[in-house]
Amino acid sequence: MTSAAPGPGNITEPTNIVIFGATGDLTKRKLIPALIKMIDAGLLHPDSRIIGVVNKRSEEQWLEMVFAGLKEFSPEVAMDAARWQRFSAMLKMVPGDLNDDATYTGLAAAVETLDGRKNALFYCAIPPEWYGRTAIGLHSAGLVDQAEGFRRIVIEKPFGMDLASATALNQELQQFFDESQIYRIDHYLGKESVQNLLVYRFSNSILEPLWNRNYIDHIQISAAETLGVEYRAKYYEQSGALRDMIQSHLMQVMTLVAMEPPVEFTDAAVRDEKMKVLRAVRRFRAEDAACHARAAQYASGVIDGHKVPAYVAEPDVSPDSATETFAAVRFYIDNWRWQGVPFVLWTGKRLQKRVSEIVIRFRKIPFNLFDTHASPPVPNALVFRLHPDEGIFLRMNAKMPGLTTDTQRMVMRAPYANDGMDVAEAYETLLHDVLLGDATLFSRADEVEESWKIVAPLQEAWKDRVSIDRYHAGSWDVPEMDDLLEDCVGGWHKPR
Ligand code: BG6
């Protein structure tokens, strides 16, 4: 998490960037476009190599795939012969199956000495069941040792499916890699607007005095999507919204909202503070899940004027699936700052709008002086919009022009970036951080395990569910969601 402009503090060393899963979706949608943007911005050393580990395809076929992906996700590069040539010259392929030791030996031979060092970043863009096997292969081929440069491994989410599997995966990885070499990626932390939250909090003096239970009524952290499950039903059927979004992205954002100022801006200090928040999250019992959480699934409906099918009618979804595509959980953080303040985290697919935001709702005024029966003052709210239209909004009350003291709602807006400004993509920021060895925006082993501990009672309560509430795609009509926020000032904040 450094300045985006190349400077002495953020120059990366020439590195062998090894991608496991080089023909996969993540590589084509996110990794390759991010690497190209990094090259353009001078954030990736031009002498670096991008090595794809590819099975059952020739190098030529792989390059064709990369090019086809670029046409879809970075057409401006695909159309620019010189840029493609520059980029493709950095690509190299190592053939082989992840289950075959020879693949890793071949990889060891392909990892070049660049600038006198054999720096290597291993990116696991592969299904989670392969993480452990890959770590073993890298270790046996002598690729984990750091004698001639750094070795780092990037692990995608989901990091486990529950506490037991996450702990087992941590142990497996830590057998071969030191914790400082492991980068567990959560792309929400790479979003500019999420990092900006830290800067807002810790570089403005007006927020800190208000940032506590004395002034804040409750906080909502949300990620509403209009997309459905798309082509990912095989994974999503096992995961559902709780694992997919709440245990990872939204809880990570919650830690940044709730943490104390770290003693310094280093990965260790920031992660220590985040961890304290997680440890203070109140645990509830599985039997009480219905009081603290909601789950629902989308039925058919209309989005942007188009009819969309129900979740159960999507490809690869069981017709009697009770997997939640909407989840909401009300957490409490038992510490001095946040005692009694609900943190409501919610997310859903096929909702009315695609909006992700942090809504800080302040307490009501103690007493209304003005004769405003028609429109009483609204509680103040500070909204951090994570996307789209990243920025910050402050909702205040003001006098309605005229001879009365009637109030009107006024929203002060501060967009994060001006139109046309190039905001770095999450993967660009995160890959750059891995190259620099800055783990601030990555989850540490203990954080991941703690967050699984927190959601464990819900997993327990929901695991044998045979039926589930429904909402219409394209709506906000999630049953009983209003009740979950009944005691919260202003209730459920449905993004506009
Ligand atoms: C992913 C989830 O991690 O995040 C997806 O697996 C979800 O289900 C996506 O759609 C949302 O990311 P963003 O950046 O579009 O909010």
Side-chain angles (χ1 to χ4, degrees), residues 154-459:
V154 181
I155 304 288
E156 263 293 332
K157 92 172 237 292
F159 196 94
M161 290 302 269
D162 54 18
L163 175 60
S165 53
T167 311
L169 180 55
N170 272 334
Q171 285 166 357
E172 229 173 339
L173 293 170
Q174 285 166 343
Q175 265 183 58
F176 308 114
F177 289 88
D178 184 73
E179 177 62 22
S180 63
Q181 294 174 283
I182 306 172
Y183 289 74
R184 296 171 193 80
I185 213 161
D186 183 312
H187 81 276
Y188 258 60
L189 297 187
K191 288 181 190 279
E192 280 272 3
S193 44
V194 173
Q195 295 159 56
N196 192 30
L197 171 70
L198 288 180
V199 177
Y200 266 124
R201 277 200 62 195
F202 302 128
S203 67
N204 292 297
S205 60
I206 58 167
L207 292 180
E208 172 57 21
L210 304 177
W211 211 255
N212 57 57
R213 61 192 296 275
N214 298 323
Y215 298 94
I216 293 177
D217 176 81
H218 75 276
I219 294 177
Q220 296 184 37
I221 302 176
S222 62
E225 299 184 83
T226 49
L227 287 177
V229 67
E230 298 187 286
Y231 53 90
R232 295 166 68 224
K234 283 194 181 124
Y235 150 75
Y236 201 83
E237 274 284 86
Q238 306 305 315
S239 147
L242 177 71
R243 289 180 172 95
D244 188 45
M245 295 291 290
I246 292 195
Q247 176 274 337
S248 49
H249 305 321
L250 299 190
M251 281 178 72
Q252 281 290 322
V253 175
M254 177 173 80
T255 60
L256 300 181
V257 172
M259 75 182 195
E260 294 301 316
V263 287
E264 55 183 9
F265 198 62
T266 58
D267 47 11
V270 170
R271 298 198 291 184
D272 283 350
E273 293 305 332
K274 288 167 67 196
M275 185 61 195
K276 283 187 209 160
V277 172
L278 293 171
R279 287 186 51 210
V281 173
R282 188 181 306 166
R283 309 303 147 111
F284 52 80
R285 297 176 310 166
E287 331 44 310
D288 299 329
C291 300
H292 300 286
R294 295 288 178 270
Q297 187 188 79
Y298 62 82
S300 60
V302 177
I303 296 210
D304 294 334
H306 299 288
K307 278 193 176 167
V308 295
Y311 176 71
V312 286
E314 301 272 18
D316 295 323
V317 174
S318 149
D320 48 11
S321 169
T323 299
E324 79 282 357
T325 58
F326 179 98
V329 190
R330 190 181 56 213
F331 291 112
Y332 288 93
I333 298 172
D334 286 333
N335 62 19
W336 275 56
R337 189 187 284 270
W338 295 117
Q339 185 58 228
V341 177
F343 280 73
V344 182
L345 275 46
W346 64 267
T347 182
K349 293 204 181 281
R350 289 279 192 233
L351 292 170
Q352 202 178 85
K353 278 201 80 173
R354 176 176 184 248
V355 174
S356 178
E357 56 191 11
I358 303 164
V359 178
I360 317 280
R361 283 250 179 85
F362 291 88
R363 288 176 175 232
K364 284 187 187 155
I365 49 171
F367 171 70
N368 183 16
L369 273 183
F370 306 109
D371 184 16
T372 51
H373 299 301
S375 57
V378 290
N380 295 131
L382 183 62
V383 178
F384 294 86
R385 204 24 98 90
L386 305 183
H387 69 227
D389 346 309
E390 293 89 343
I392 182 167
F393 311 135
L394 179 62
R395 192 171 70 194
M396 307 275 290
N397 294 291
K399 184 179 163 315
M400 188 97 81
L403 299 180
T404 68
T405 52
D406 275 351
T407 55
Q408 63 173 342
R409 168 200 289 227
M410 213 184 74
V411 181
M412 298 184 199
R413 294 170 195 275
Y416 170 59
N418 295 326
D419 283 350
M421 203 165 159
D422 196 17
V423 174
E425 287 287 329
Y427 276 91
E428 214 180 313
T429 306
L430 294 172
L431 276 167
H432 183 237
D433 281 359
V434 182
L435 290 172
L436 289 178
D438 178 353
T440 313
L441 300 177
F442 296 81
S443 315
R444 205 165 58 188
D446 52 351
E447 281 180 70
V448 177
E449 289 178 20
E450 201 65 32
S451 55
W452 280 118
K453 277 185 207 161
I454 295 168
V455 298
L458 269 182
Q459 292 185 289

